[in-house]
Amino acid sequence: MPTTPPLAGGTTGPAALRPLLDTVLAALHDGATLRDGPLPAGGPETVAPRTRAAAHPLLPDHGVGPHHALTTLVTALAAGAADPAHPHCTAHLHTPPLALAAAADLAASALNPSMDSWDQAPAASTLEAGLTAALAAEIYPHTPSPDALITTGGTEANQLALLLARERHGPVQTICGANAHHSIARAAWLLGLPEPVTVPAPHGTLDPAALDAALTELHRPHLVVATAGTTDTGAIDPLDTIADLCTTHGAELHIDAAYGGPLLLSPTHRTLLHGLHRAHSVTLDLHKLGWQPASAGLLAVPDHHHLTPLHHHAPYLNADDDTEAGLPDLLGRSLRTTRRPDALKIAVTLRALGRDGLADLVDRTLAAAHRLADLVTTTPGLDLYDRPTISTVLFRPTGADDHTVATVRRTLLHRGHAVLGRAHAADRLWFKATLLNPHTTPQDLRALLDLVTHAATELLTHPTATTGAPHPTESDTPR
């Protein structure tokens, strides 16, 4: 007869967790040692069968026991990970989480409060309310009762922003730049709104003259979406100018600051977000430039009454007499029902590091991006797209075509040497390095560029040589 496994909560939970955590930590170390780089070598055709073998069978007739299962699967996952803590893993807005935030997330998992009713999350609901009010006040320092909702990320936050605008004005016409995140068009589709009007962003940022023309021509309620930190280049739209145009034309403004929003925490860089407070809603992600384990998104509004349309009634969660008796009603805090207490890890981070500690992380990360840009400009055979606005650097080998850039990127992935992103700008394909690791050193950056130049030289010198990378797809070839 199998024994009943222990639970994570209660007074006995910590004692049950401790030896399991030792096993997990050892497996994380061993897996990272086996990987020995930013990602495993060999590509999908190597990683997939190795992972499947470690997990087989996933549902055995008789269990192998907790330590064996943890050792096998955690080691396999770590060995097969793209590790954002490695300085050469720079492709995406994929942050290396702080150890203290990950530790707090363990506590959230062990306690497992669900944020859809007070009787499931008495303390967590209080903590979340305080955290969201405090973060909203950072964005809206001059309004008396700003508020924010915790979301799964920028996609959910942007969808909520369009939903709230629709509830205020009916089928609003969204207007965004060609640089806007893909979630804007998707949210409009999901909500049954007209397809967004897209205005040009010829230099990576929304063109105010084109926006003015669009607002003049259209005759229905408008929601303009500006971006503070694009996924391709990290560019920030001219927020104040856009807010002025919205005021002139009677349009509402949503700012997607999923990437750039945490610049508010840095006295050195917060001026890049001047005008942010003029938006009717703001998206912010702390699992990007906030070093939180996913997920840790927010949607902020200047007045808590703006969230009223989200109120929902389910008698088993927020019965009227319970609410009248003083139990907080949590259902209007999300479109989700069951949801994790993501406020805990964020609150622990803010309390532990304070404003100066968080500002230091932001400043270090942006300084690393500028160092990388400097290295690119002084490295023969490499071209820089532009100076970084936040922490994204685009570069490419001088004279290379797009096919070469794409192939070099896949070669580095296949060899397990580097995880670089790809972005189209100025009608060309570029390597994208999104720096989010505040521990990255100049030596790390120099080594990254050496890997790129070596692979590019190898390919250009011996174009028929086997690089270990898969053949380019049609979408990677020049048109």
Side-chain angles (χ1 to χ4, degrees), residues 99-331:
L100 68 96
D105 224 17
L106 167 65
S109 294
L111 293 168
N112 205 32
S114 182
M115 304 301 298
D116 50 311
S117 66
W118 184 88
D119 58 359
Q120 298 176 85
S125 60
T126 300
L127 182 65
E128 180 180 278
L131 176 76
T132 51
L135 289 174
E138 290 293 311
I139 295 170
Y140 298 107
H142 308 301
T143 59
S145 56
D147 204 352
L149 303 177
I150 292 182
T151 71
T152 54
T155 294
E156 183 188 352
N158 287 338
Q159 182 180 344
L160 282 170
L162 268 65
L163 172 63
L164 291 172
R166 186 192 72 179
E167 293 306 292
R168 286 192 295 270
H169 302 292
V172 294
Q173 175 63 65
T174 304
I175 306 173
C176 62
N179 60 343
H181 194 260
H182 65 83
S183 61
I184 300 300
R186 200 175 199 190
W189 168 68
L190 285 169
L191 294 167
L193 296 174
E195 183 178 346
V197 172
T198 302
V199 299
H203 304 292
T205 57
L206 188 152
D207 180 3
L211 175 62
D212 188 22
L215 287 168
T216 301
E217 181 180 343
L218 297 168
H219 301 291
R220 68 170 71 200
H222 306 138
L223 176 68
V224 174
V225 177
T227 306
T230 62
T231 54
D232 273 352
T233 66
I236 297 175
D237 287 336
L239 304 181
D240 254 334
T241 302
I242 293 170
D244 288 342
L245 288 171
C246 289
T247 299
T248 299
H249 290 277
E252 290 198 353
L253 173 62
H254 170 64
I255 298 178
D256 178 1
Y259 180 11
L263 297 176
L264 282 175
L265 301 171
S266 166
T268 304
H269 298 290
R270 65 181 302 142
T271 54
L272 291 169
L273 298 178
H274 196 270
L276 187 72
H277 68 284
R278 300 177 64 185
H280 292 79
S281 54
V282 173
T283 288
L284 176 69
D285 264 6
L286 293 173
H287 57 243
K288 292 183 171 67
L289 200 63
W291 299 281
Q292 298 299 295
S295 57
L298 292 106
L299 177 75
V301 293
D303 189 285
H304 67 90
H305 291 301
H306 290 188
L307 302 175
T308 300
L310 299 178
H311 175 73
H312 181 67
H313 190 243
Y316 76 103
L317 295 173
N318 59 349
D320 288 341
D321 58 327
D322 279 348
T323 302
E324 291 167 3
L327 296 185
D329 180 354
L330 305 184
L331 273 189

